[in-house]
Amino acid sequence: MNTRAILVGLVLGLGLGIAASATGSPALLQAAEAVAPLGEVFLRAIQMVVIPLVATVVFVGVARIGNLRRLGRLGGLAVGFFWITTLPAILIGMGVMSLALTFTTPVPPPTPVTELDTATPGVVAFLVNLVPRNPIQAAADGSLLSLLIFVVLLAAAATTLPEDKREALTSLAETVGDALIRLMTWILWTAPVGVFGLAAPVIAQTGMAMLQNLAVFIVAVVAGFFILKGVVLLPMVRIFGGMGPGRFMRGTVGTYTVGFTTTTSVGTLPMMLQEAEKLGLSKSTFSLVLPLAASINRPGSALFQSTSLVFLAAMYGVPLDAGLVAAAVLAIFLASMTVAPVPSASIVTMAPALDVVGVPVAGLGILLGIDRVPDVFRSATNVIAHMAAATTVDRMTRRRWRESGRPRGHSPGS
């Protein structure tokens, strides 16, 4: 995906939209509306792929986690750390954006509120509807949270199969996922045209107020990342990992820099392995935890998705009551830990959470055009979370080895 080309498409769309809004020219307003089908086709293409992509990635992720039972306590501690840091990341994102909304200006939503289904089911009805009568029908209806529940249960059942059957099923899902990722990558190459078609009519309707709100959104997201590191990750490293924040930050400068510039956890893995060794972590620990973290640990993505959900819900006038917030937290929790390795995947995989609260997926196109700035901070936060996980798990496993009387190099899973 060409980031520069997307920025060009965004700038052109913003320029057309601002000119139409500022001048009120019928010709410019008509031109802004005329390019809307370009954005609609782009969104339809994303929707075409996102349901099977999320389903296969979640299946593979859960199935692989299930196999961690053979790796013993080390794998369990690592996954536990991922879960413990993901939940506060979601809550921080929602809290930060709720505060930031006080600095935004109300704008008319791109989709009229009267066209949205903002009805909120009761708690009992919500819990009942989590179990789909027909998973295929749930996918066709876009009920992604119900579909994800089925996929998670199916993946859990797959872990109990004989190893050859389990591996065959998981490999098939992984292959399908790889093909869908390739297809999504092709679609995202058309993002410059799609973003142009999405931005122009939206800005023509909302004017400069939308640009101001997007600026507030970016500031809120970046602030949330630093709060997550300062309030959750560094204290966990200090309390459970036994390492001072100063030493940890000095020892992970390279990891943060590479993650910031490459925007990929997998691409940062070689640097993480080097710096984990320099920090004095056990190789038997970080050689497992870091690759695992690069695959499924995404607290930065979870924070971004929760912030985005609150922002888009406010833009479309969708009220978030306690039931919808709980449902959104569950959807983001599942989706963020299995974010596919494609550019802006944190945006693409937000569809389940948006579906739960009734926000149109069209809002994702608005965020896609400005994702470059959040993306670099999001990726840097994710890789620091990986290093925090390795540091914490290493200290905890060493302590347990000492208590059990086993030598330091002994595998905790043997």
Side-chain angles (χ1 to χ4, degrees):
M1 185 173 66
N2 191 329
T3 303
R4 292 182 179 179
I6 291 179
L7 290 176
V8 170
L10 176 63
V11 169
L12 292 176
L14 294 178
L16 176 58
I18 291 173
S21 176
T23 64
S25 168
L28 291 176
L29 289 171
Q30 186 176 3
E33 291 298 327
V35 301
L38 298 176
E40 179 67 20
V41 171
F42 176 64
L43 285 177
R44 282 177 171 267
I46 290 180
Q47 290 174 290
M48 175 182 67
V49 179
V50 70
I51 292 178
L53 174 60
V54 170
T56 54
V57 172
V58 168
F59 179 89
V60 172
V62 174
R64 296 299 186 202
I65 291 175
N67 289 339
L68 289 177
R69 290 177 301 176
R70 296 181 302 176
L71 300 176
R73 193 172 293 160
L74 184 62
L77 286 173
V79 174
F81 181 93
F82 303 159
W83 290 351
I84 289 172
T85 54
T86 297
L87 182 57
I90 296 172
L91 299 179
I92 288 172
M94 289 184 170
V96 168
M97 194 63 237
S98 297
L99 177 62
L101 287 177
T102 61
F103 299 97
T104 59
T105 304
V107 297
T111 301
V113 178
T114 54
E115 295 181 12
L116 304 179
D117 181 12
T118 58
T120 59
V123 175
V124 175
F126 166 72
L127 294 176
V128 170
N129 290 334
L130 284 179
V131 181
R133 292 191 184 94
N134 184 338
I136 298 177
Q137 184 64 43
D141 293 340
S143 301
L144 290 186
L145 185 57
S146 298
L147 177 63
L148 289 182
I149 296 297
F150 167 75
V151 171
V152 168
L153 293 175
L154 180 63
T159 65
T160 66
L161 297 176
E163 185 174 357
D164 57 337
K165 294 184 178 180
R166 178 177 64 240
E167 187 58 34
L169 186 59
T170 306
S171 297
L172 174 61
E174 200 165 21
T175 301
V176 173
D178 290 342
L180 290 168
I181 288 172
R182 180 66 59 86
L183 178 56
M184 180 63 75
T185 302
W186 292 350
I187 293 171
L188 290 177
W189 273 104
T190 69
V193 176
V195 168
F196 171 74
L198 290 167
V202 168
I203 301 302
Q205 295 176 28
T206 60
M208 291 297 295
M210 177 60 75
L211 295 181
Q212 296 171 1
N213 290 354
L214 290 175
V216 172
F217 169 79
I218 292 175
V219 172
V221 170
V222 174
F225 291 144
F226 284 101
I227 292 173
L228 174 63
K229 285 183 283 188
V231 174
V232 178
L233 298 179
L234 292 181
M236 291 195 71
V237 168
R238 179 69 185 91
I239 297 171
F240 299 104
M243 185 178 297
R247 181 188 171 194
F248 177 78
M249 289 189 293
R250 289 192 299 271
T252 56
V253 170
T255 293
Y256 189 88
T257 303
V258 175
F260 189 91
T261 53
T262 63
T263 66
T264 169
S265 294
V266 176
T268 313
L269 187 56
M271 177 59 71
M272 287 192 284
L273 294 172
Q274 288 183 14
E275 293 199 324
E277 191 166 5
K278 291 180 180 178
L279 285 173
L281 306 185
S282 170
K283 188 172 183 180
S284 61
T285 298
F286 71 72
S287 61
L288 167 67
V289 174
L290 289 177
L292 180 62
S295 301
I296 64 173
N297 186 33
R298 300 286 189 276
S301 300
L303 188 149
F304 172 82
Q305 290 180 340
S306 62
T307 307
S308 302
L309 183 141
V310 173
F311 176 78
L312 292 176
M315 184 177 73
Y316 284 98
V318 177
L320 295 178
D321 60 17
L324 286 182
V325 169
V329 168
L330 176 59
I332 292 173
F333 184 86
L334 293 174
S336 65
M337 294 191 68
T338 51
V339 171
V342 297
S344 297
S346 294
I347 293 179
V348 173
T349 54
M350 275 186 60
L354 294 184
D355 172 69
V356 165
V357 300
V359 175
V361 74
L364 299 182
I366 300 171
L367 299 183
L368 187 62
I370 60 165
D371 188 50
R372 182 57 184 174
V373 175
D375 192 21
V376 295
F377 287 97
R378 181 171 66 234
S379 300
T381 301
N382 283 335
V383 297
I384 289 299
H386 304 341
M387 292 295 290
T391 303
T392 301
V393 172
D394 180 66
R395 169 69 179 274
M396 296 180 72
T397 52
R398 291 188 192 212
R399 184 185 305 158
R400 294 194 180 192
W401 290 343
R402 287 196 299 268
E403 292 173 355
S404 65
R406 288 181 290 187
R408 215 176 97 182
H410 191 79
S411 170
S414 60

